[in-house]
Amino acid sequence: KAGVTQTPRYLIKTRGQQVTLSCSPISGHRSVSWYQQTPGQGLQFLFEYFSETQRNKGNFPGRFSGRQFSNSRSEMNVSTLELGDSALYLCASSLQVMNTEAFFGQGTRLTVV
Amino acid sequence: DQQVKQNSPSLSVQEGRISILNCDYTNSMFDYFLWYKKYPAEGPTFLISISSIKDKNEDGRFTVFLNKSAKHLSLHIVPSQPGDSAVYFCAASQGAQKLVFGQGTRLTINP
């Protein structure tokens, strides 16, 4: 059974650009959540999608958005990139809603220069 | 507002000894707690969890203790092994709400 797959693994963007990250959950999992990890801040919750609907949202500006497709794959988009957006972005999937064990992908390392 | 806090950024333990990682939370409505382990260049992997109706859960070398009155949980690893060197995150959730993570503790097991 394949795990959570995130693409790309590494990304370098320039300030002001936008970026789209992709996450394919474990087959059969319907919930996908996104987290931002920065040194000293732990994992900050961005949003959660379940059956193509956003269920929960963290305290991030509107530049951060996401969506989920009918096959449960999810994308997150960050517009007008800032240097502070440099982080590891992690996607997690779970069978149902995000109150049980979540399985994480390896993450996408985004560097904004 | 950091609802889940891991106040020790790092911890160093000798191989074979007990490792104790601590986590405090502020939201008394949290009813499910988890520990994740993260190696460099990998995503976090689930380690062990505990429901708020329990005060202890054990899985092999790993035991999680929950003290609801103190809003504190801890992860004990006995005996500690070199492969346990990683960053450990505690997380909490309330009902079907999002998982809230702590900042992580980097555990180093010394031979």
Side-chain angles (χ1 to χ4, degrees), chain A residues 40-43, chain B residues 2 4-10 21 35 87-90 101-106:
Chain A
Q41 292 296 314
L43 277 70
Chain B
Q2 192 77 28
V4 177
K5 293 182 182 179
Q6 293 175 258
N7 292 315
S8 298
S10 62
L21 297 107
W35 283 93
V87 177
Y88 290 79
F89 291 96
C90 68
F101 284 83
Q103 306 96 311
T105 296
R106 181 176 300 279

Side-chain angles (χ1 to χ4, degrees), chain B residues 39-83:
Chain B
Y39 293 118
E42 294 184 13
T45 54
F46 169 75
L47 199 55
I48 192 170
S49 63
I50 187 168
S51 163
S52 60
I53 63 174
K54 293 186 173 184
D55 54 20
K56 177 183 174 182
N57 188 28
E58 193 171 349
D59 183 3
R61 297 186 298 114
F62 303 91
T63 303
V64 56
F65 295 92
L66 176 62
N67 183 333
K68 288 187 291 292
S69 60
K71 296 192 183 69
H72 177 84
L73 71 155
S74 61
L75 173 68
H76 292 209
I77 306 173
V78 182
S80 300
Q81 299 174 353

